[in-house]
């Protein structure tokens, strides 16, 4: 089967979650026998204007359309031309409300399309973009809803991302995943010891990891506050923070009173992440949706790579008790849960996991669960069923 996958605003290669998602889906479907063509963005900027560059990486054809993300729809003529030349069985597009060229081209050429939705289609009124769109008469809302109507099927981690006017039978819930072949429990003790030393982590102390983009809703301030509470109580853990973003300077300032107990690595290439995560005894995903109106409005539709990747390397996980996170991580089975935003509860959950006699067993269960239910391999097998239904 031939697939044209339009992800025009996503950098490939790239280290953020969107880049990982697009590449894992494209390469996973290629391994299942698909001929995959991906329209993506490169970091070289728009110097080549509207022209396509094309390279083949591990059997996947990458076509670069270097337009600013907000102008993705201007690439429609070239994407329509690709549809004519390639004659794909299905066009799949990663949703962005200022994109839609792939769905539009498929619609006009009578080809089935699959809309991949990873964000709320219609923002709540608390979001500035929605208020601006309302003042303009709702063109973005109408365009986003049209994409949902025009698509043959929609895949999304949580169906509440899609307007209720869209028939439920068009929607398939499908979470993201982890690459369980790359992310696995550490097996090279010498490499782990060398990385531990290079980062300057104290010896013989439990390491608790936070990985993320340091956005407000990722909860880094909750993580640091809980860590400080534990340290104030004399609990000598080491806290490893991997990533970068707007909240990092404030987090570093807050942690400065215990400089020997915090390590901020900055951004780490995704292919090196398994080694870094393998240094830890537990992984924390302290999401706080107070800073994210869309998540408050529609539920936790974000399918968090960090949780799946923690699980894949054999870490028990601490995360808030909010659906569906509380069904991915179950108290006392794969980790621990706490009430969202409760710093004392987060600190207690970290300690409950790190000091649990069965901590290693929690990690093994987490690994087994992600291999079974939340791997990219599983995601692509389920996606294959949808694609063959509409384009087979």
């Amino acid at each position: 089967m031939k697939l044209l996958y339009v992800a025009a605003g996503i950098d490939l290669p790239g280290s953020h979650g969107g880049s990982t998602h697009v590449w894992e889906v494209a390469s996973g479907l290629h391994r299942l026998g698909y001929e995959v063509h991906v329209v993506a963005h490169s970091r070289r900027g728009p110097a080549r204007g509207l022209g396509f560059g094309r390279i083949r990486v591990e059997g996947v054809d990458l076509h670069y359309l270097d337009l600013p993300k907000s102008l993705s729809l201007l690439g429609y003529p070239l994407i329509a031309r690709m549809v004519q030349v390639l004659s794909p069985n299905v066009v799949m597009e990663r949703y962005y409300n200022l994109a839609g060229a792939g769905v539009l081209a498929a619609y006009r050429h009578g080809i089935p399309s699959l809309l991949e939705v990873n964000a709320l289609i219609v923002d709540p009124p608390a979001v500035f973009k929605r208020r601006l769109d309302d003042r303009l008469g709702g063109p973005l809302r109408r365009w986003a809803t049209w994409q949902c109507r025009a698509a043959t099927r929609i895949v999304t981690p949580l169906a509440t991302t899609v307007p209720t006017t869209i028939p439920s039978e068009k929607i398939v819930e499908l979470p993201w995943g982890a690459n369980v072949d790359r992310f696995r429990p550490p097996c090279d003790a010498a490499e782990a010891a060398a990385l531990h030393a290079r980062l300057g982590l104290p010896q013989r102390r439990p390491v608790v990891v936070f990985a993320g983009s340091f956005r407000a809703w990722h909860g880094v301030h909750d993580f640091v506050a809980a860590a400080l509470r534990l340290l104030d109580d004399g609990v000598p853990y080491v806290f490893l923070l991997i990533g970068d973003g707007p909240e990092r300077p404030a987090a570093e300032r807050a942690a400065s009173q215990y400089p020997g107990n915090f390590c901020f690595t900055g951004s780490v290439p995704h292919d090196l992440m398994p080694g870094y995560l393998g240094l830890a005894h537990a992984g924390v995903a302290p999401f706080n949706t107070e800073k994210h109106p869309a998540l408050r409005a529609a539920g936790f539709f974000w399918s968090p790579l960090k949780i799946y990747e923690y699980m894949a390397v054999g870490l028990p996980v601490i995360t808030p008790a909010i659906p569906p996170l509380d069904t991915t991580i179950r108290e006392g089975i794969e980790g621990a849960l706490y009430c969202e935003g409760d710093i004392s509860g987060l600190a207690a959950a970290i300690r409950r996991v790190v000091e649990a006699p069965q901590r290693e067993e929690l990690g093994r269960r987490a690994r087994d669960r992600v291999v079974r239910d939340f791997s990219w391999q599983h995601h692509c097998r389920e996606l294959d069923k949808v694609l063959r239904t509409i384009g087979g």
Side-chain angles (χ1 to χ4, degrees):
M1 183 179 287
K2 188 182 296 185
L3 176 71
L4 177 60
Y5 186 7
V6 181
I10 299 297
D11 288 333
L12 284 183
S15 59
H16 61 77
S19 301
T20 299
H21 181 181
V22 170
W23 176 251
E24 291 290 354
V25 168
S27 59
L29 290 175
H30 169 69
R31 286 191 292 272
L32 290 175
Y34 284 70
E35 179 183 329
V36 182
H37 295 262
V38 181
V39 178
H41 187 271
S42 76
R43 295 185 176 183
R44 287 173 285 183
R48 290 166 302 175
L50 295 178
F52 277 101
R54 176 179 176 177
I55 60 172
R56 175 166 287 190
V57 180
E58 298 177 22
V60 175
D61 285 299
L62 302 181
H63 306 261
Y64 287 127
L65 178 59
D66 286 337
L67 286 168
K69 187 175 181 180
S70 60
L71 299 178
S72 295
L73 194 53
L74 294 181
Y76 171 78
L78 287 172
I79 290 173
R81 178 61 179 158
M82 287 189 72
V83 169
Q84 288 180 318
V85 171
L86 294 173
S87 297
N89 299 91
V90 180
V91 176
M92 183 164 74
E93 180 157 22
R94 182 183 174 91
Y95 170 76
Y96 172 59
N97 58 10
L98 295 175
V103 171
L104 180 59
Y107 178 80
R108 288 182 171 174
H109 288 84
I111 295 173
S113 62
L114 181 65
L115 187 63
E116 187 183 67
V117 176
N118 303 295
L120 194 58
I121 291 287
V122 178
D123 288 320
V127 175
F128 171 77
K129 184 172 61 177
R130 164 66 184 277
R131 296 198 301 272
L132 178 61
D133 188 49
D134 285 347
R135 291 193 190 104
L136 295 173
L140 291 180
R141 186 167 67 254
R142 288 194 299 274
W143 175 238
T145 304
W146 182 88
Q147 291 179 61
C148 292
R149 291 197 183 108
T152 312
R153 289 286 189 281
I154 298 168
V155 293
T156 179
L158 201 62
T160 54
T161 59
V162 181
T164 56
T165 55
I166 304 302
S168 60
E169 57 267 24
K170 287 183 70 166
I171 305 168
V172 178
E173 289 192 338
L174 187 58
W176 292 17
N179 186 321
V180 295
D181 294 328
R182 188 184 314 138
F183 285 80
R184 41 191 321 117
C187 56
D188 192 318
E191 284 187 7
L195 179 58
H196 194 282
R198 189 160 69 248
L199 294 174
L201 303 179
Q203 297 293 325
R204 293 181 293 278
R205 292 188 186 179
V207 176
V208 182
V209 68
F210 166 94
S213 61
F214 285 71
R215 299 178 187 174
W217 64 275
H218 280 222
V220 64
H221 296 303
D222 288 357
F223 178 73
V224 172
L228 293 173
R229 191 158 300 188
L230 290 168
L231 294 169
D232 287 343
D233 289 343
V235 181
Y237 297 166
V238 177
F239 299 92
L240 177 64
L241 294 94
I242 304 171
D244 208 346
E247 303 298 319
R248 180 180 170 187
E252 289 185 319
R253 287 193 298 272
S256 61
Q257 57 188 290
Y258 285 101
N261 293 88
F262 288 92
C263 176
F264 290 80
T265 68
S267 296
V268 170
H270 194 248
D271 59 349
L272 299 182
M273 282 293 293
Y276 280 73
L277 296 182
L279 300 177
H281 294 72
V284 183
F287 295 108
N288 191 328
T289 60
E290 182 181 1
K291 305 291 187 181
H292 199 304
L295 289 174
R296 281 288 170 105
F300 200 91
F301 56 78
W302 204 267
S303 197
L305 292 184
K306 73 174 74 179
I307 289 182
Y308 304 138
E309 291 174 353
Y310 290 162
M311 296 169 76
V313 298
L315 295 182
V317 180
I318 300 98
T319 200
I322 53 178
L325 301 182
D326 58 357
T327 57
T328 303
I329 302 300
R330 297 166 293 183
E331 176 70 39
I333 300 177
E334 295 92 10
L337 301 169
Y338 68 98
C339 182
E340 180 186 17
D342 178 2
I343 303 303
S344 295
L346 173 54
I350 292 172
R351 192 168 187 179
R352 193 159 67 243
V353 166
V354 173
E355 298 181 7
Q358 74 278 22
R359 179 183 59 80
E360 292 186 359
E361 178 61 25
L362 295 177
R364 280 193 291 271
R365 290 177 191 155
R367 166 75 185 178
D368 290 344
R369 180 87 190 283
V370 81
V371 168
R372 184 178 68 247
D373 298 329
F374 300 111
S375 69
W376 282 121
Q377 291 88 332
H378 174 79
H379 178 99
C380 288
R381 287 193 297 269
E382 293 301 307
L383 196 57
D384 173 52
K385 294 175 185 177
V386 180
L387 290 167
R388 292 192 182 279
T389 297
I390 65 176

